[in-house]
Each structure stands twice: as structure tokens, then as C-alpha cells.
Amino acid sequence: MNDPRIAFVGAGNMTRSLIGGLIADGRNPARLCVSDPDTHQLSAVASRFQVHTDTDNQRLTENCDVVVLAVKPQVMATVARALGPSVQHRQPLVISVAAGIRTADLERWLGGRCALVRCMPNTPALVQSGATALFATEGVSPPRRDLAESLLRAVGLTLWVEDEALMDAVTAVSGSGPAYFFLLIEALQEAGEALGLGRKSARLLALQTAFGAAKMALESSDDAAILRQRVTSPGGTTQAALEVLESGAMKALLQSAVTAARDRSRALAQQLGAD
Ligand SMILES: NC(=O)c1ccc[n+]([C@@H]2O[C@H](COP(=O)([O-])OP(=O)(O)OC[C@H]3O[C@@H](n4cnc5c(N)ncnc54)[C@H](OP(=O)(O)O)[C@@H]3O)[C@@H](O)[C@H]2O)c1
């Protein structure tokens, strides 16, 4: 499929990020369209991206090769049930970006098996620096897998998981992950201020250090553990700090935190799928 027609259901943050990324990547806005019951949202999207819009999800998706479901998880059952007959009849590629909605539940709401890709993006997707895990059901052909991946790549890194149960671990690591790093930046900034740095300087130093460390780690073939060892001279300042973090069992604490997020993700998925 060279230039598929792509419908986005829901004109919120994720749709705007994806469309912004796709157009920046060279996709033709005339092949993208968006539906949402809120006409204010639609006119904002239409004037920003020059894409076709409609308040009616069914009408919009009828002639599309790809349907991206980008509504809140809480309304997904209603939206999917209404689209079910058309999806079953036409069999477009369906991509869900909704957190915590399992493919078995989505297929049940859509009225049966279909070519379905479930994605778990994270909020840095809003600045085209997201990390997205994808899972495809059996009905998705290799070219359609490639298509789904190319759409999500417009907002950052993508990787596939072959076991859907791992989506709860993905949610715990990269879905909730930005908040862990925000907390670390916040704490480092506060520590800098406590040691006498001005608020603005402490903030900038903490932020640029987080960015620089992530960039270095991304560009290196070495593990983070090796990079850490390399910047830790015996008896030096970094070692003094790391010893304090280790005495507070920082790794074990993070392990417990991420496990708690994974367990909460499982419980929420069960709750959302009960509809
Ligand atoms: N934002 C992120 O970084 C992020 C990260 C990971 C996953 N996700 C997932 O992406 C999905 C969308 O998130 P978002 O942040 O883009 O949410 P959002 O900004 O609230 O956008 C959802 C849009 O869907 C609209 N909508 C509500 N009912 C609808 C219906 N029946 N038909 C069509 N559109 C409808 C909403 O309109 P109203 O505002 O009028 O209700 C809103 O404009 C969610 O499932 C979320 O889990 C988002």
C-alpha cells in the first residue's frame, strides 16, 4: 500500500502528535483525516494540518485503509462497537494507541477477528521523542506490520513485542517512565538549590545533564552500567554520591516501583475490558 488513506478517531493530543510527525515525514495531508464529536477540536486540527475532518466516526472511516483509534480508554468500547460492522465488512488495518486496552477486548467490541495492532506510546511522543511498543494480532500481514510501525515511528522509537502480556511491563517501564525521570530531575534540582545554586541554574544543570546522559547512552554501544563505571573515579565525587544512593537501595526501590506499576496496569486492563 503506497499511500494509504488514514483515519484518526479522536482529535486529541496523540492524534495531533502523530499527524504532525507524519506530515513532517512527508506524508500527504490529503490522505489523512480525523473525526471527533467536538467541532472546536476538529477545526483546530483542520486549520493546523489542512486535513479532512468529520464529526461522524463511521462516515470518516468508511473509505480508509487504516483506522487509528486514539480516544480515551474509557470510551473505547462505545467507539469500537459502533465501528464494528464497517471494520468487519471492509477489514482495514486497525491501530489502537489506547493505554491498557487488550486486543481480545477490542476485537470483541469490533465484532470479531480483524487486522489489529495495539500500541503503547508514551508522552514524549508529543515532542516526537516517544518510545512505542507494538503488538500485532495474527491477522496482521508483514506489510501491514511495517505500515503500523512506520506510522508510530513518526513520533519516536518503535519496537515490537510478540507476547501481549508484556505490554503491562512496557507500560511500567516506558509508559510511566517519563514521570520517574521527572522526579529525578526535580530531586536533583532541589538538591542543587539546597547547596546554594540559584533556581534557574539548578534547573538548567539538572535538565541538560539528564538530556546529555540519555543522549550519550543512546549513542553508545555500551550498557548504562559501563558508562556509569567510566564516570566514577575511585575515591572521587561521583563515587561519594553513588555510595549514598546504593545505601538507600535505589535499584531495589525502583524494581518495586516498576513492579507496582506493572501490577496496576494488569488490574486496569482487566477493569477496562470488563465492559
Ligand atoms: N497523550 C499521550 O501521551 C498518550 C500516551 C500513551 C497512550 N495514549 C493513549 O492515546 C489515546 C488518546 O490520548 P490523548 O492524550 O490523545 O487523549 P485526548 O487528548 O483526550 O484525545 C482524545 C480525543 O477523543 C475525543 N473523543 C471522545 N469521544 C469520542 C468519540 N466517541 N469519537 C471520537 N472522538 C472522541 C475527545 O474529545 P473530548 O475531549 O470532547 O472528550 C478528544 O478530543 C488514549 O487512549 C491514551 O491512552 C496517550
Side-chain angles (χ1 to χ4, degrees):
M1 209 180 299
N2 274 340
D3 194 8
R5 196 167 156 73
I6 306 166
F8 292 83
V9 178
N13 292 312
M14 192 45 70
T15 286
R16 290 167 204 227
S17 303
L18 282 166
I19 290 182
L22 290 170
I23 292 174
D25 261 6
R27 291 239 175 214
N28 181 359
R31 306 293 290 169
L32 310 176
C33 53
V34 184
S35 64
D36 196 296
D38 183 338
T39 51
H40 293 292
Q41 294 271 57
L42 286 184
S43 49
V45 170
S47 66
R48 183 165 160 202
F49 299 116
Q50 280 76 53
V51 293
H52 172 69
T53 61
D54 199 316
T55 51
D56 187 316
N57 296 342
Q58 275 106 302
R59 191 165 52 218
L60 183 96
T61 54
E62 248 155 34
N63 298 313
C64 286
D65 308 299
V66 182
V67 176
V68 181
L69 299 174
V71 296
K72 289 281 189 215
Q74 295 76 4
V75 298
M76 188 60 93
T78 309
V79 167
R81 281 195 180 108
L83 291 175
S86 152
V87 166
Q88 292 306 324
H89 176 61
R90 298 187 40 257
Q91 291 290 321
L93 170 64
V94 180
I95 300 176
S96 163
V97 296
I101 302 282
R102 294 172 299 202
T103 55
D105 297 315
L106 203 42
E107 283 191 323
R108 179 161 43 81
W109 298 331
L110 288 167
R113 304 305 284 266
C114 50
L116 177 60
V117 173
R118 171 184 170 188
C119 308
M120 182 59 213
N122 62 4
T123 44
L126 305 182
V127 291
Q128 263 81 59
S129 297
T132 301
L134 301 97
F135 169 78
T137 57
E138 277 172 17
V140 183
S141 63
R144 282 181 147 189
R145 274 173 77 109
D146 291 347
L147 174 58
E149 187 173 0
S150 75
L151 298 187
L152 272 300
R153 217 184 292 123
V155 291
L157 173 140
T158 51
L159 58 86
W160 287 95
V161 295
E162 301 306 329
D163 175 2
E164 187 175 5
L166 288 175
M167 280 300 203
D168 295 310
V170 167
T171 303
V173 172
S174 56
S176 302
Y180 315 153
F181 287 98
F182 293 146
L183 177 64
L184 201 60
I185 291 167
E186 182 188 333
L188 190 55
Q189 177 183 334
E190 284 172 10
E193 285 180 60
L195 296 181
L197 292 170
R199 187 178 163 72
K200 199 173 160 195
S201 303
R203 178 176 182 273
L204 279 175
L205 289 173
L207 278 174
Q208 181 64 20
T209 303
F211 173 74
K215 188 166 159 57
M216 259 182 88
L218 273 170
E219 288 177 4
S220 171
S221 54
D222 292 322
D223 283 344
I226 302 289
L227 296 176
R228 173 174 55 77
Q229 281 159 21
R230 232 178 254 152
V231 294
T232 312
S233 317
T237 57
T238 311
Q239 188 179 28
L242 291 177
E243 276 172 7
V244 174
L245 291 174
E246 272 158 31
S247 72
M250 188 176 161
K251 274 192 178 178
L253 188 63
L254 198 60
Q255 178 74 53
S256 306
V258 174
T259 305
R262 191 273 317 267
D263 294 346
R264 183 71 188 131
S265 173
R266 277 184 186 159
L268 284 173
Q270 215 145 16
Q271 217 174 296
L272 287 164
D275 199 327

